Amino acid sequence: MRQLQSAGRTLVMGIVNVTPDSFSDGGDFLSAEAAIARGRQLLAEGADLIDVGGESTRPGAARVPVQEELRRVLPVIAELVAAGAAVSIDTTRAEVAKASVAAGAELVNDVSGGLADPAMLDVVAELGVGYVAMHWRGHSDVMQQLTHYDDVVRDVAAELAQRRDAALAAGIAPDRLVLDPGLGFAKTPDANWTLLARLEELAALGQPLLIGASRKRFLGELLDGREPRQRDDASVALTALCAERGVWGVRTHTVRAHADAVAVVARLAQERRGGVQ
């Protein structure tokens, strides 16, 4: 993943949803031109990665045909790579992952952790790219029925450990594997807060962590029902807290404020280590 493994700070992953139905920005960037322009904007604002997705994973979302997913994402990936962006592909399909890497993507962000497509882990291992395995219990149309846990952190950690082990067994290199607890995916609002409060138990799995909290429903509930775009300040606050705790990356709909928050945390960490050398 080029320089991204040695950035020395939390990475900011900017979201480009090339979809009509994503919960926050569905339809805003559905055309290739609009999505490319959005990706360029996020890159200019300091995004380390641009995460391109062609299928919504919001609760209740329907699946799209694979050819439609490919049609949406491939031209966007190619143009953003040509513009100098490091691009990740947000997909659960091995076919889409393979075509996206051929177009220049260098990270596969799979919200199913390899469970939705049995070919995914082998394909990623063969491609030799980075891989994000998210905690997942089912597709968007059923995930809100799968929110029971005995202890959400222990259960998520155990299920993520299974995905970690499967990825490593498939041949994905440990230094290319990132885990994501899947905030909002088969989680109640309270469960999301519990996971955030106990991130060290997830970090104990031994892999870097990606946190995707941007604009999610549990923030809206905290803020008396604010709409997704009115949750950005709270999202930035969580980025600062996650960066302070050393997470590998945060996934967000906006970039500049998150990059600023990461810079502040990194500078304070430098001072604690003895200041500027």
Side-chain angles (χ1 to χ4, degrees):
M1 289 184 284
R2 288 191 275 176
Q3 77 280 11
L4 301 181
Q5 292 175 330
S6 57
R9 57 166 173 76
T10 295
L11 302 178
V12 178
M13 176 187 283
I15 300 167
V16 175
N17 287 320
V18 195
T19 60
D21 54 348
S22 291
F23 80 95
S24 169
D25 56 5
D28 288 356
F29 312 111
L30 184 56
S31 72
E33 293 78 11
I36 292 163
R38 179 59 172 171
R40 286 178 177 271
Q41 178 187 2
L42 296 178
L43 182 62
E45 291 180 0
D48 298 292
L49 278 161
I50 305 296
D51 193 44
V52 178
E55 181 177 61
S56 174
T57 53
R58 66 171 176 79
R63 303 223 65 188
V64 301
V66 63
Q67 291 304 317
E68 174 62 14
E69 187 179 355
L70 288 166
R71 185 193 68 79
R72 292 176 181 178
V73 301
L74 291 183
V76 178
I77 292 170
E79 288 295 326
L80 292 178
V81 169
V87 174
S88 60
I89 174 62
D90 176 4
T91 187
T92 62
R93 290 171 164 141
E95 181 178 348
V96 175
K98 189 170 185 177
S100 297
V101 170
E106 52 191 89
L107 179 73
V108 176
N109 182 17
D110 178 1
V111 300
S112 81
L115 290 171
D117 186 338
M120 179 66 91
L121 297 181
D122 289 338
V123 165
V124 172
E126 179 182 345
L127 293 169
V129 296
Y131 183 65
V132 178
M134 197 191 80
H135 176 263
W136 187 82
R137 284 185 161 184
H139 284 291
S140 297
D141 58 343
V142 299
M143 66 181 180
Q144 294 308 108
Q145 303 165 32
L146 305 171
T147 59
H148 173 75
Y149 300 87
D150 293 326
D151 180 305
V152 65
V153 181
R154 291 179 184 175
D155 292 352
V156 168
E159 291 168 31
L160 269 180
Q162 294 175 356
R163 305 322 306 150
R164 174 201 63 196
D165 294 347
L168 296 175
I172 296 174
D175 63 353
R176 293 181 178 272
L177 177 61
V178 176
L179 302 179
D180 179 343
L183 300 181
F185 288 78
K187 314 287 190 308
T188 64
D190 286 346
N192 295 317
W193 290 113
T194 302
L195 286 162
L196 286 166
R198 293 164 57 186
L199 283 180
E200 68 281 355
E201 294 177 51
L202 301 176
L205 294 171
Q207 299 300 135
L209 296 178
L210 174 68
I211 302 298
S214 180
R215 296 179 175 176
K216 287 194 172 175
R217 183 168 62 92
F218 73 101
L219 293 176
E221 181 183 80
L222 174 71
L223 302 171
D224 298 323
R226 286 188 201 168
E227 294 301 310
R229 292 170 194 258
Q230 298 176 337
R231 303 168 190 169
D232 284 340
D233 292 343
S235 300
V236 173
L238 274 181
T239 283
L241 293 168
C242 288
E244 176 72 20
R245 298 172 73 180
V247 304
W248 173 83
V250 291
R251 183 175 182 273
T252 177
H253 294 85
T254 61
V255 166
R256 188 181 302 281
H258 294 265
D260 288 352
V262 167
V264 168
V265 171
R267 182 62 183 87
L268 285 172
Q270 183 183 56
E271 195 64 26
R272 293 188 187 114
R273 293 193 299 266
V276 178
Q277 302 299 317

